[in-house]
């Protein structure tokens, strides 16, 4: 080949990579200079969080962006984590081979499925700066780290490594780094601030990853820090097999082609979830295939027939084939307490209401919706509330208006919960932020850009329900706050003002200061309950104290009940009054006689919780005279909780009994009922 | 009606307020302060005095809510403060008292309005005047011009004799905040009647045109809603010298109220109407029919104006037929006019034509 021809060929190959980027830049997230840097950070951070989660390590992530050349818009990104690192032999593949993701085909909730992966960043860097990306990786089992530059040979169109070396990797504190990964890369990109920025992405990431410690140094050298607020790692999730309701033709074709099974029934039983022996036989019958059909030898027509049977378009005995629901343990919700913590750490406000719905299923795909609302000082009261959207713990920062989760927020009449909203529709206004998280094995987006969730009535309904419930929590909180303010006023009246009136009037008239007890009883003429729930820094426990004052002229008798996070594993200690368990999460004490002018105190501590887990205790009472600061117990509600406890306890026994008709999956789509809800008392815990 | 200032009586009356609170606490009840309801629903005509006074409706402010408890405490502080001033022979403005209350801890005022209201509350329950309490208002009193001579006790304790025509400049004699007998003596006069005028512009026009001398009258500038001392000095001159009083105001709903406060007593000060109100005062103009009769340049009534007129229709002070007619006519015409709109016919029209015609109808010119 002549020199010119060679050059042309290489040019063509060069074009191949650039063309690939050009054609897919929207899908890859590199369609603008502003977005490119966000995408790069996102790929790196998602990988770090995923790797740490798998290795059960509490993540510490450091991101630094600096300007290398402002005229040419060249930025340098350094992303470092304390994850397991990548063994030397795999580095080249991870960073130099497209779609080398380890879990690309597994069905479970994970972050990694979204973008093209870290290789895209390496490519983009190479294409825009001509420079390779430096990777430093240290695995725990080796004494030194490996440092290597990964570039792309645009001529051969493949990854090349250079300058590989073993080095001693020290942390900023001059200690030896035990394990972790550091990526340093340069790219043409622009750093910007605002709603769509690296800062916002990291902030949102830290909200849904309260177990992560994230620091960020921006191009101006300003350091941002989002501390870890829980030591609890997200639950390890299991991969599940696809459910027949959620499968597409292409996927089914591939599964058949790759199958080594000799019988169709075995193939169906072993590669899909929710298929019982009977269902496998019925599926064969409906698709007019022999149970001994070899999947590998199936014709396109056969496969299409099988798919139709999956989707209930082919019937047996005039009915669609009954399939079991897919298991939902493949989902990893953030869970209420952690949403609460995550929100509280980036937004400085007192009240958070959260709601995690029970997992459910849509079209064979397990999913679960969680919502959180933070309300109060520190946020603009006259602006639209901030909407924080997440899919599988990944922040969604673009296309807010077109997203299903936004539509669910807009469909709620927030006015009844104390927010402003023109006409009871649209994004509400007020000092609040609303978080929505969809955890699902199959998140469906409106476009390749993967920034807005497409319409799905089940997900919509679940989100709406979650928000209604959470809204009730907000309303309750606001009502309680009002009541508390009133009570505080009364206490100020009898503790400060009344004594001052007595003293001053006595001194003007030159008479003795009169006794106040009688007036106090008349002024209050009520039984008042004071509750305080505080974190005790020394004992690392949450101290709860409840005081009941009888400011009436008669002796009173009450049962006092409280809610407490028993389900979250809290343990009640130092409860000297004893009392008894009413039901899961509800404790009660009997106060036999409370004489006029007397007070009764209940004190206990909650251990096995972290700071911020439990900040408000709800107090209930049984008794005839109203108690200011407590809610009269609704016996029906208590009964309801008891019933649900029973149902849940029974459900645990049934797990694994595949053919149980009670858990049969209805083709209609959604498992009804709220049996698994984690919040029974309004969600403000 | 002459008043005597008796510090001991003032103190005794203030103590009854304190005693009410004290006794209730001793009885094991929330302390209270009882006072007449101060709204237009609780004013009625007192035949004996010829003015409007508070009726029998009483409200009790009791310490069962934080707000009213604080109010009681403030009242005690104010009582103590007044006693101290009486003893020290000092006085203070309401505004000063508001600032002094900074040192009253829980009893401090939240706003100046609160302290003004409380001073009025105490007047109402004790039937004392705030002059007795040594509390002065901010508002300055009226200006007065005419052949009227008063003796005023100045701050050096000397009596000065002042003639409100010969001893003053063009701005006239400034009426002090206290016009009670211990401060002002009405010495002599050579006028046939008194004319109270709403705006400074009209007051100055009449002076420039020499109206006070031509028509032998005393002119008093009200400065909008007249201060208590202004109403009090008009009342004293009317009573002690038996001088007729005519009131010359803009022609709008707010002027009607000004007139009512001069002639019948103001709602806020109905407890002392017999000292402030001049029942024989006559409304000269601008009347609703003047607007039509003189074809005066007029403005449309605003929504607020109409509301005010409607409220006046149900105000007992405007219950008589003439007022009802005037108010209804203004509502019908839908217009209001200023005093100075008379200038449409030239600067002298008011003194050469309008006032002589009006005074003629009243038998004063
Ligand atoms: N920071 C990291 N620490 C440990 N392993 C990593 C890290 N980044 C990437 N990997 C490994 O490389 C694989 C490929 O990453 P990537 O190309 O981003 O695809 P994906 O995230 O979709 O799996 C990951 O699945 C993981 O096994
Ligand atoms: Mg990745």
């Amino acid at each position: 080949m002549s020199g010119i021809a060679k050059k042309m060929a290489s040019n063509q190959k060069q074009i191949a990579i650039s063309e690939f980027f050009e054609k897919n830049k929207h899908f890859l997230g590199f369609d603008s200079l502003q977005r490119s840097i966000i995408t790069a950070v996102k790929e790196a951070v998602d990988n770090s969080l995923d790797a740490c989660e798998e290795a059960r390590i509490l993540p510490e992530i450091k991101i630094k962006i600096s300007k290398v050349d402002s005229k040419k818009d060249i930025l340098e990104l350094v992303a470092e984590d304390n994850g397991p690192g990548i063994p030397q032999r795999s580095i080249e593949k991870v960073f130099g081979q497209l779609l080398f993701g380890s879990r690309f085909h597994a069905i479970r909730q994970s972050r990694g499925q979204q973008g093209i992966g870290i290789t895209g960043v390496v490519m983009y860097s190479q294409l825009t700066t001509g420079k390779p990306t430096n990777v430093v990786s240290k695995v725990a089992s080796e004494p030194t780290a490996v440092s290597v530059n990964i570039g792309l040979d645009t001529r051969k169109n493949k990854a090349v490594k250079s300058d590989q070396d073993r080095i001693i990797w020290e942390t900023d504190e001059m200690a030896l780094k035990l394990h972790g990964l550091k990526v340093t890369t340069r790219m043409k990109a622009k750093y910007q601030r605002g709603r769509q920025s690296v800062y916002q992405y990291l902030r949102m990431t830290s909200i849904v990853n309260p177990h992560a410690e994230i620091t960020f140094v921006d191009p101006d050298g300003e350091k941002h820090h989002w501390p870890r607020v829980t030591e609890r790692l997200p639950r390890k999730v299991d991969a599940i097999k696809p459910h027949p309701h959620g499968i597409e033709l292409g996927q089914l074709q591939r599964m058949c082609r790759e199958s080594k099974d000799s019988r169709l029934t075995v193939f169906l039983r072993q590669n899909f979830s929710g298929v019982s022996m009977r269902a496998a036989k019925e599926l064969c019958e409906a698709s007019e295939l022999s149970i001994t059909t070899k999947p590998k030898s199936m014709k396109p027509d056969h496969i299409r027939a099988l798919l139709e049977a999956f989707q209930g378009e082919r019937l047996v005995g005039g009915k669609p084939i009954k399939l079991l629901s897919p298991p939902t343990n493949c989902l990893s919700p953030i869970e209420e307490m952690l949403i609460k913590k995550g929100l509280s750490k980036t937004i400085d406000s007192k009240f958070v209401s959260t709601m995690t719905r029970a997992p459910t299923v849509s079209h064979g795909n397990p999913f679960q919706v969680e919502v959180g609302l933070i309300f109060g000082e520190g946020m603009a009261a006259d602006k639209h509330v901030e909407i924080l959207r997440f899919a599988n713990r990944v922040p969604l920062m673009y296309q807010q208006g077109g997203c299903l989760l936004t539509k669910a927020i807009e469909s709620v009449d927030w006015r009844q919960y104390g927010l402003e909203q023109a006409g009871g529709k649209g994004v509400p206004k007020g000092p609040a932020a609303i978080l929505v998280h969809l955890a699902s094995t199959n998140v469906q987006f409106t476009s390749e850009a993967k920034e807005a969730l497409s319409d799905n009535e089940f997900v919509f309904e679940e989100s709406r329900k979650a928000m209604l419930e959470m809204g009730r929590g907000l309303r309750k909180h606001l009502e309680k706050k009002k009541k508390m303010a009133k009570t505080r006023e009364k206490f100020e009246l009898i503790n400060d003002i009344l004594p001052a009136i007595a003293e001053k009037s006595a001194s003007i008239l030159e008479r003795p200061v009169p006794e106040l007890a009688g007036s106090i009883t008349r002024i209050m003429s009520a039984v008042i309950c004071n509750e305080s729930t505080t974190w005790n820094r020394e004992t690392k426990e949450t101290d709860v104290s409840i005081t009941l004052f009888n400011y009436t002229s008669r002796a009173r008798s009450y049962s006092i009940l409280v809610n407490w996070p028993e389900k979250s594993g809290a343990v009640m200690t130092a409860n000297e009054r004893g009392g008894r368990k009413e039901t899961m999460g509800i404790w009660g004490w009997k106060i036999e006689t409370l004489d006029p002018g007397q007070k009764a105190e209940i004190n206990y501590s909650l251990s096995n919780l972290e700071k911020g887990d439990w900040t408000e205790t709800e107090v209930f009472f049984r008794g005839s005279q109203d108690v200011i600061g407590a809610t009269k117990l609704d016996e029906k509600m208590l009964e309801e909780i008891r019933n649900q406890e029973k149902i849940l306890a029974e459900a645990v026994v049934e797990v694994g009994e595949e053919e149980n008709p009670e858990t049969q999956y209805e083709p209609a789509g959604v498992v009804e009922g709220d049996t698994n809800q984690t919040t029974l008392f309004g969600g403000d815990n | 009606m002459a008043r005597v200032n008796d510090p001991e009586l003032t103190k005794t009356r203030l103590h009854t307020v304190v005693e009410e609170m004290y006794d209730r606490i001793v009885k094991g009840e929330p302390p209270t302060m009882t006072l007449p309801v101060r709204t237009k629903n609780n004013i009625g005509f007192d035949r004996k005095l010829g003015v409007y006074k508070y009726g029998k409706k009483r409200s009790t402010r009791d310490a069962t809510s934080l707000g009213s408890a604080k109010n009681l405490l403030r009242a005690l502080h104010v009582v103590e403060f007044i006693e101290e001033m009486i003893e020290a022979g000092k006085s203070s403005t309401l505004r000063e008292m508001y600032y002094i209350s900074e040192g009253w801890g829980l009893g401090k005022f939240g706003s100046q309005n609160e302290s003004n209201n409380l001073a009025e509350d105490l007047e109402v329950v004790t039937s004392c005047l705030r002059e007795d309490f040594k509390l002065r208002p901010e508002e300055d009193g009226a200006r007065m011009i005419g052949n009227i001579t008063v003796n005023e006790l100045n701050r050096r304790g000397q009596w000065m004799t002042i003639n409100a025509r010969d001893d003053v400049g063009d701005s006239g004699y400034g009426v002090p905040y206290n016009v009670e007998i211990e401060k002002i003596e009405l010495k002599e006069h050579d006028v046939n009647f008194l004319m109270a005028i709403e705006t400074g512009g009209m007051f100055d026009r009449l002076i420039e045109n020499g109206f006070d001398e031509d028509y032998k009258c005393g002119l008093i500038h009200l400065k909008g809603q007249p201060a208590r001392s202004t109403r009090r000095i008009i009342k004293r001159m009317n009573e002690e010298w038996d001088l007729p009083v005519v009131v010359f105001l803009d022609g709008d709903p707010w002027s009607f109220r000004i007139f009512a406060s001069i002639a019948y007593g103001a709602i806020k000060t109905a407890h002392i109407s017999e000292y402030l109100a001049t029942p024989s005062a006559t409304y000269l103009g601008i009347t609703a029919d003047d607007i039509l009769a003189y074809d005066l340049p007029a403005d449309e009534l605003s929504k607020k104006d109409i509301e005010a007129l409607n409220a006046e229709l149900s105000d007992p002070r405007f219950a008589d037929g003439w007022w009802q007619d005037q108010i209804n006519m203004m509502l019908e015409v839908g217009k209001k006019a200023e005093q100075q709109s008379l200038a449409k016919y030239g600067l002298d029209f008011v003194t050469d034509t309008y006032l002589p015609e009006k005074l003629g109808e009243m038998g004063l010119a």
Side-chain angles (χ1 to χ4, degrees):
Chain A
M1 232 191 286
S2 72
I4 291 176
K6 248 188 200 164
K7 215 172 172 190
M8 274 180 66
S10 73
N11 271 350
Q12 256 168 11
K13 278 178 190 162
Q14 246 184 26
I15 287 165
I17 291 185
S18 339
E19 224 171 36
F20 173 80
F21 252 88
E22 192 52 43
K23 273 200 188 134
N24 297 295
K25 64 184 182 184
H26 196 68
F27 159 61
L28 300 175
F30 293 98
D31 50 338
S32 73
L33 292 184
Q34 287 85 352
R35 195 167 169 199
S36 296
I37 186 70
I38 301 175
T39 301
V41 170
K42 193 167 161 161
E43 292 295 351
V45 170
D46 287 355
N47 281 350
S48 296
L49 290 170
D50 274 339
C52 286
E53 204 168 303
E54 252 177 53
R56 310 312 286 168
I57 295 167
L58 284 168
E60 257 164 54
I61 298 172
K62 293 178 185 161
I63 301 292
K64 185 175 175 186
I65 295 174
S66 39
K67 281 188 186 137
V68 177
D69 186 335
S70 348
K71 265 194 226 110
K72 288 187 191 147
D73 291 326
I74 304 293
L75 295 177
E76 182 181 80
L77 164 68
V78 183
E80 179 184 335
D81 67 36
N82 65 337
I86 300 174
Q88 182 172 337
R89 60 186 141 62
S90 301
I91 294 178
E92 206 178 334
K93 279 194 203 130
V94 167
F95 289 89
Q97 204 168 307
L98 271 181
L99 306 179
F100 175 72
S102 54
R103 66 203 93 120
F104 200 66
H105 300 308
I107 295 195
R108 76 178 135 174
Q109 178 195 333
S110 77
R111 300 177 184 88
Q113 285 170 16
Q114 289 223 324
I116 183 186
I118 196 73
T119 314
V121 180
V122 176
M123 279 187 175
Y124 181 74
S125 163
Q126 175 84 44
L127 285 171
T128 54
T129 67
K131 297 252 161 53
T133 294
N134 177 259
V135 180
V136 178
S137 169
K138 164 101 174 58
V139 292
S141 57
E142 290 170 10
T144 54
V146 59
S147 167
V148 59
N149 285 348
I150 307 280
L152 289 163
D153 183 339
T154 46
R155 216 169 317 179
K156 292 195 188 122
N157 226 355
K158 74 174 253 241
V160 280
K161 56 181 181 182
S162 57
D163 302 315
Q164 183 164 318
D165 205 355
R166 304 276 339 176
I167 58 162
I168 291 181
W169 186 2
E170 283 185 338
T171 63
D172 293 343
E173 295 79 38
M174 306 305 271
L176 270 188
K177 182 108 178 178
L178 295 177
H179 43 77
L181 192 84
K182 180 159 91 173
V183 179
T184 306
T185 186
R186 292 183 175 194
M187 65 187 71
K188 194 168 168 70
K190 262 192 188 138
Y191 183 82
Q192 69 174 10
R193 294 164 194 283
R195 218 162 62 149
Q196 277 135 20
S197 64
V198 171
Y199 173 86
Q200 175 72 351
Y201 165 74
L202 291 173
R203 171 174 170 257
M204 287 176 75
T205 299
S206 93
I207 290 175
V208 286
N209 295 281
H211 64 293
E213 175 97 16
I214 302 177
T215 52
F216 171 44
V217 181
D218 70 21
D220 295 330
E222 201 180 322
K223 194 169 167 177
H224 309 275
H225 179 215
W226 294 279
R228 172 178 303 134
V229 288
T230 178
E231 308 286 313
R232 257 174 262 150
L233 276 161
R235 189 156 61 87
K236 219 171 176 153
V237 291
D238 305 321
I240 60 158
K241 298 166 196 162
H243 191 273
H245 282 157
I247 205 147
E248 282 158 21
L249 185 61
Q251 197 185 349
L252 184 58
Q253 278 169 340
R254 204 187 60 236
M255 287 174 78
C256 292
R257 202 168 51 234
E258 290 169 2
S259 164
K260 292 191 179 76
D261 295 318
S262 53
R263 294 164 79 93
L264 187 51
T265 40
V266 175
F267 168 74
L268 291 172
R269 293 268 289 137
Q270 291 188 346
N271 291 288
F272 293 90
S273 62
V275 181
S276 63
M277 195 56 215
R278 197 179 73 204
K281 283 182 190 149
E282 285 180 355
L283 285 169
C284 294
E285 189 189 333
S287 41
E288 293 168 53
L289 292 166
S290 155
I291 55 171
T292 57
T293 309
K294 242 185 135 155
K296 211 180 168 89
S297 64
M298 276 166 72
K299 305 256 152 55
D301 278 359
H302 296 156
I303 296 176
R304 200 160 289 129
L306 184 59
L307 191 69
E308 283 165 14
F310 279 180
Q311 290 167 347
E313 286 164 23
R314 285 171 175 260
L315 312 176
V316 168
K319 280 188 197 153
I321 294 137
K322 279 209 166 178
L323 299 168
L324 299 165
S325 297
T328 51
N329 52 4
C330 51
L331 296 174
S332 167
I334 307 161
E335 281 162 9
E336 295 188 15
M337 266 189 187
L338 292 182
I339 293 181
K340 187 176 170 184
K341 283 187 163 181
L343 279 173
S344 324
K345 97 170 139 167
T346 59
I347 301 171
D348 189 21
S349 199
K350 279 262 150 59
F351 174 74
V352 186
S353 173
T354 54
M355 177 75 227
T356 295
R357 297 280 297 173
T360 176
V361 175
S362 144
H363 303 298
N365 293 307
F367 76 96
Q368 189 166 12
V369 173
E370 302 180 278
V371 293
L373 180 145
I374 187 159
F375 180 89
E377 308 91 60
M379 285 175 280
D382 53 349
K383 296 229 171 74
H384 288 295
V385 303
E386 186 183 11
I387 294 178
L388 302 162
R389 295 174 295 136
F390 301 88
N392 289 346
R393 292 177 189 247
V394 174
L396 304 178
M397 297 201 298
Y398 298 87
Q399 300 173 22
Q400 176 172 304
C403 180
L404 166 73
L405 300 177
T406 309
K407 290 178 195 165
I409 292 174
E410 290 170 341
S411 76
V412 172
D413 186 346
W414 290 98
R415 293 173 304 182
Q416 52 185 326
Y417 307 126
L419 292 178
E420 257 181 65
Q421 191 185 31
K425 276 204 188 92
V427 178
K429 283 183 179 176
I434 298 175
L435 172 152
V436 208
H437 178 221
L438 172 68
S440 171
T441 53
N442 183 7
V443 177
Q444 280 171 336
F445 294 96
T446 54
S447 73
E448 290 288 21
K450 303 197 171 178
E451 286 294 350
L453 302 192
S454 61
D455 291 348
N456 176 320
E457 56 178 310
F458 301 124
V459 177
F460 180 84
E461 263 319 304
E462 279 296 303
S463 312
R464 222 181 105 81
K465 276 188 198 156
M467 276 180 281
L468 292 177
E469 203 138 330
M470 175 179 76
R472 278 193 283 277
L474 172 63
R475 187 174 54 199
K476 258 191 169 173
H477 165 80
L478 293 177
E479 277 165 8
K480 184 169 177 187
K481 224 167 102 174
K482 239 194 228 159
K483 247 193 204 164
M484 297 269 287
K486 261 214 181 125
T487 319
R488 251 200 311 279
E489 281 194 354
K490 285 258 174 181
F491 275 107
E492 186 185 343
L493 200 174
I494 57 162
N495 292 332
D496 304 330
I497 309 291
L498 191 65
I501 292 176
E503 273 161 38
K504 185 105 303 189
S505 59
S507 96
I508 292 172
L509 300 173
E510 293 174 24
R511 292 188 209 162
V513 179
E515 183 56 46
L516 290 175
S519 314
I520 290 178
T521 303
R522 289 295 306 275
I523 289 169
M524 303 299 266
S525 75
V527 179
I528 292 177
C529 173
N530 251 0
E531 167 267 327
S532 96
T533 303
T534 49
W535 174 252
N536 187 327
R537 228 186 292 167
E538 270 144 49
T539 59
K540 302 256 183 277
E541 291 185 335
T542 304
D543 293 341
V544 182
S545 160
I546 292 152
T547 316
L548 207 64
F549 302 85
N550 182 1
Y551 288 121
T552 69
S553 48
R554 284 187 24 216
R556 305 280 168 187
S557 161
Y558 287 104
S559 282
I560 294 296
L561 301 95
V562 296
N563 66 343
W564 66 291
E566 187 174 7
K567 262 192 200 165
S568 309
V571 176
M572 203 182 262
T573 61
N575 173 9
E576 275 164 24
R577 250 182 197 273
R580 70 185 186 103
K581 176 173 173 160
E582 289 274 339
T583 182
M584 184 65 146
I586 304 283
W587 198 270
W589 298 265
K590 188 117 192 79
I591 292 170
E592 295 292 352
T593 41
L594 187 58
D595 287 322
Q598 294 301 303
K599 64 177 183 183
E601 268 185 77
I602 295 169
N603 290 300
Y604 58 91
S605 300
L606 298 173
S607 63
N608 211 17
L609 291 175
E610 294 179 358
K611 183 176 180 221
D613 277 355
W614 189 254
T615 53
E616 212 176 294
T617 300
E618 197 157 346
V619 185
F620 303 86
F621 69 92
R622 278 197 196 105
S624 51
Q625 169 84 19
D626 236 13
V627 177
I628 298 176
T631 316
K632 193 167 174 78
L633 187 74
D634 181 350
E635 299 293 343
K636 268 195 220 129
M637 182 187 68
L638 196 67
E639 206 42 51
E640 175 74 19
I641 301 169
R642 288 203 179 112
N643 283 342
Q644 293 200 359
E645 283 311 315
K646 236 194 264 161
I647 292 168
L648 275 177
E650 281 160 13
V652 171
V653 180
E654 281 164 11
V655 162
E657 285 175 42
E658 227 189 4
E659 307 271 334
N660 187 333
E662 297 246 315
T663 52
Q664 285 272 308
Y665 178 53
E666 296 294 322
V670 175
V671 178
E672 271 304 330
D674 292 356
T675 42
N676 233 353
Q677 300 313 316
T678 44
T679 303
L680 290 156
F681 283 85
D684 49 339
N685 312 318
Chain B
M1 179 159 307
R3 288 192 72 259
V4 237
N5 175 295
D6 177 355
E8 278 313 308
L9 186 65
T10 306
K11 272 203 214 161
T12 314
R13 285 182 174 173
L14 283 172
H15 277 199
T16 58
V17 176
V18 182
E19 267 158 10
E20 179 181 337
M21 296 190 209
Y22 185 89
D23 291 345
R24 295 266 304 176
I25 298 177
V26 170
K27 277 196 219 134
E29 310 266 0
T32 54
M33 182 164 153
T34 308
L35 60 169
V37 173
R38 287 163 60 198
T39 65
K40 81 175 178 197
N41 299 323
N42 189 35
I43 52 170
F45 190 69
D46 184 321
R47 268 173 215 292
K48 215 168 75 208
L49 299 169
V51 294
Y52 282 84
K53 296 280 293 174
Y54 288 125
K56 292 227 156 44
K57 281 184 203 147
R58 310 218 138 228
S59 72
T60 301
R61 196 170 288 165
D62 67 9
T64 51
S65 78
L66 184 63
S68 40
K70 279 188 173 166
N71 223 304
L72 297 195
L73 182 59
R74 282 186 206 116
L76 292 174
H77 278 281
V78 171
V79 167
E80 190 180 55
F81 176 65
I82 291 168
E83 281 192 29
E84 280 166 15
M85 283 199 297
I86 290 175
E87 249 132 61
K90 283 243 159 68
S91 71
S92 98
T93 65
L94 286 164
R95 188 148 193 84
E96 281 168 334
M97 180 170 80
Y98 167 65
Y99 284 122
I100 284 166
S101 85
E102 284 286 324
W104 295 351
L106 296 165
K108 90 176 205 202
F109 289 112
S111 71
Q112 164 107 48
N113 216 13
E114 273 176 18
S115 63
N116 293 0
N117 280 334
L118 191 57
E120 269 165 18
D121 287 343
L122 285 176
E123 282 182 315
V124 174
V125 277
T126 59
S127 326
C128 293
L129 287 187
R130 70 181 171 211
E131 286 77 7
D132 301 332
F133 296 161
K134 309 289 174 190
L135 289 173
R136 273 181 281 129
E138 246 47 52
E139 61 203 17
D140 36 23
R143 297 189 281 153
M144 187 162 84
I145 268 189
N147 193 359
I148 290 169
T149 310
V150 298
N151 288 333
E152 181 179 336
L153 187 69
N154 71 14
R155 64 187 184 287
R156 286 188 299 274
Q158 296 157 344
W159 287 97
M160 300 174 63
T161 301
I162 303 165
N163 180 280
R165 181 189 63 188
D166 305 333
D167 304 336
V168 299
D170 288 349
S171 62
Y173 169 67
V175 179
Y177 93 92
N178 184 356
V179 294
E180 294 308 314
I181 190 126
E182 68 268 16
K183 170 83 176 162
I184 300 276
E185 285 171 8
L186 302 181
K187 195 161 171 245
E188 57 187 16
H189 71 91
D190 184 23
V191 294
N192 296 331
F193 63 95
L194 299 171
M195 183 184 291
I197 299 152
E198 178 168 354
T199 61
M202 185 52 73
F203 180 73
D204 293 336
R205 163 68 34 231
L206 299 198
I207 292 167
E208 193 177 300
N209 291 6
F211 188 78
D212 58 316
E213 302 212 42
D214 293 350
Y215 283 82
K216 279 190 78 173
C217 62
L219 302 178
I220 299 154
H221 175 208
L222 297 174
K223 298 195 179 168
Q225 181 66 50
R228 272 160 66 160
S229 60
T230 310
R231 285 180 277 150
R232 176 69 179 145
I233 202 163
I234 292 172
K235 163 80 173 174
R236 280 190 65 192
M237 290 190 288
N238 165 265
E239 212 171 51
E240 289 171 38
W241 286 336
D242 199 19
L243 284 174
V245 175
V246 297
V247 184
F248 180 23
L249 309 170
D250 286 340
D252 65 30
W254 316 102
S255 308
F256 297 172
R257 283 194 189 169
I258 291 175
F259 174 76
S261 76
I262 292 171
Y264 313 131
I267 294 174
K268 265 175 65 156
T269 54
H271 56 298
I272 43 175
S273 288
E274 64 268 40
Y275 303 116
L276 299 180
T278 308
S280 64
T282 330
Y283 189 87
L284 178 142
I286 306 286
T287 60
D289 27 35
D290 287 345
I291 299 176
L292 299 177
Y294 293 93
D295 188 23
L296 297 176
D299 292 327
E300 298 283 334
L301 292 177
S302 69
K303 227 175 94 197
K304 277 236 165 85
D305 290 332
I306 294 169
E307 276 168 22
L309 285 170
N310 284 323
E312 282 163 13
L313 282 176
S314 64
D315 187 326
R317 296 173 302 169
F318 295 105
D320 92 39
W322 187 83
W323 273 117
Q324 293 285 316
D325 287 350
Q326 282 299 317
I327 294 165
N328 280 320
M329 190 183 304
M330 184 167 282
L331 280 169
E332 225 165 89
V333 177
K335 296 243 152 84
K336 59 181 178 182
E338 292 182 356
Q339 292 182 303
Q340 294 182 64
S341 65
L342 292 163
K344 174 186 178 187
Y345 302 107
L347 294 178
D348 298 335
F349 179 75
V350 60
T351 44
D352 291 357
T353 311
Y354 179 78
L355 287 176
E357 280 181 20
K358 285 279 182 167
L359 290 168
E361 283 168 27
M362 296 172 183
L364 291 171

